[in-house]
């Protein structure tokens, strides 16, 4: 969800205003995707690298996660089940504050009965950390080392392969996101910053799966 900062700067606003607009855009995208034939929507909310951003910006982004995870009524109305991938809270080096942990747990619990789209938020997520951890766990288990067994040790082994990866704001990079899961994904690049991502863009991204 790139381009929140640039979206704000262009309007003479602080970067945090861009992230707030990004959270609204995400709520819109979740609604729009859940009304289409999307079974899984996975978003990169906060990376393992994002902790290095200025403290006030980190605090603001964490607050926005709490806000998103607090949209329970809306999520339930749209039959959306919340899910999360990222560094486990009990792992050494985990920095996720308790209030974010609680917001994540509550959102998962309060939407667990929904049967529609699965919204997975990647928070404190990095693909290399995920794969390294999976490799260590697989080696420890003593099972054969092969792709099927490695898959079993990902943060969420039940996530299906990605059909389309969306990257906004003219960035033509992957940035350590779902490296295992995007094996055969189509990629939808758009110049638009994330706060301006709308249903027309979503339809164009989904259309890539049809050809
Ligand atoms: C990247 O844009 C965006 C982020 C690091 C934060 C993403 C967070 C949100 C969209 C807020 C809501 C999301 C959730 C899951 C609650 P950038 O800051 O790098 O912008 P720039 O590339 O223009 O500098």
């Amino acid at each position: 969800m790139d381009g929140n900062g640039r979206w704000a700067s262009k309007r003479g606003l602080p970067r945090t205003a861009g992230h707030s607009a990004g959270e609204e855009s995400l709520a819109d995208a979740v609604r729009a995707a859940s009304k289409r034939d999307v079974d899984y929507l996975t978003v990169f909310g906060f990376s393992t690298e994002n902790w290095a951003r200025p403290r006030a910006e980190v605090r603001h982004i964490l607050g926005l996660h709490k806000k998103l995870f607090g949209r329970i009524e809306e999520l339930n109305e749209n039959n959306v089940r919340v899910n999360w991938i990222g560094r486990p809270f009990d792992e050494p080096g985990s920095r996720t504050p308790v209030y974010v942990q609680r917001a994540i747990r509550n959102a998962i619990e309060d939407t667990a009965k929904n049967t529609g789209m699965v919204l997975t938020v990647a928070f404190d997520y990095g693909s290399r950390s995920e794969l390294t951890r999976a490799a260590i766990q697989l080696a420890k288990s003593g099972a054969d080392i092969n792709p099927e067994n490695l898959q079993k040790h990902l943060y969420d082994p039940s996530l299906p392969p990605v059909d389309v990866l969306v990257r906004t704001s003219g960035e033509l990079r992957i940035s350590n996101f779902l490296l295992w899961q995007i094996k055969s994904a189509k990629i939808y690049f758009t110049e638009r910053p994330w706060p301006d991502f709308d249903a027309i863009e979503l339809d164009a991204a989904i259309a890539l799966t049809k050809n």
Side-chain angles (χ1 to χ4, degrees):
M1 297 183 285
D2 251 301
N4 296 339
R6 278 165 280 177
W7 180 92
S9 305
K10 225 173 132 184
R11 289 162 177 76
L13 299 168
R15 292 177 58 80
T16 47
H19 294 312
S20 295
E23 194 274 336
E24 299 282 345
S25 182
L26 176 56
D28 290 346
V30 169
R31 220 171 296 123
S34 70
K35 290 192 164 60
R36 290 161 169 77
D37 55 352
V38 176
D39 295 324
Y40 290 84
L41 177 67
T42 304
V43 295
F44 207 167
F46 196 81
S47 73
T48 47
E49 290 83 24
N50 284 155
W51 296 108
R53 291 194 177 209
R55 237 200 219 178
E57 186 176 344
V58 169
R59 206 176 311 126
H60 186 82
I61 298 175
L62 297 192
L64 288 173
H65 279 73
K66 190 169 174 226
K67 183 173 181 203
L68 180 85
F69 290 122
R71 292 177 183 262
I72 301 299
E73 211 170 299
E74 206 175 317
L75 292 163
N76 283 335
E77 265 167 29
N78 289 288
N79 199 20
V80 173
R81 181 159 67 80
V82 172
N83 184 31
W84 159 71
I85 51 172
R87 190 206 292 248
F89 303 139
D90 58 359
E91 200 169 88
S94 167
R95 291 204 246 173
T96 304
V98 171
Y99 78 92
V100 178
Q101 296 182 19
R102 199 172 296 138
I104 292 174
R105 286 205 185 96
N106 289 346
I108 291 173
E109 216 176 285
D110 295 346
T111 61
K113 292 204 177 81
N114 292 337
T115 54
M117 187 178 81
V118 177
L119 168 66
T120 303
V121 177
F123 179 88
D124 197 15
Y125 176 85
S127 202
R128 284 187 159 202
S129 300
E130 175 181 35
L131 292 171
T132 306
R133 178 178 171 271
I136 293 169
Q137 287 193 349
L138 175 55
K140 274 188 190 159
S141 76
D144 285 350
I145 296 186
N146 57 39
E148 290 70 34
N149 284 341
L150 191 104
Q151 164 88 26
K152 292 178 192 158
H153 295 278
L154 297 178
Y155 289 141
D156 183 352
S158 74
L159 283 185
V162 172
D163 292 318
V164 190
L165 174 76
V166 173
R167 185 91 203 223
T168 55
S169 209
E171 296 294 340
L172 304 179
R173 292 175 289 121
I174 303 296
S175 298
N176 204 17
F177 190 48
L178 301 179
L179 298 180
W180 181 274
Q181 297 86 342
I182 61 170
K183 176 179 160 282
S184 308
K186 304 267 180 73
I187 309 187
Y188 182 77
F189 291 115
T190 172
E191 290 294 321
R192 282 202 186 188
W194 174 252
D196 292 337
F197 189 88
D198 60 13
I200 294 167
E201 292 271 346
L202 180 67
D203 284 334
I206 292 172
L208 286 185
T209 65
K210 317 270 190 235
N211 52 44

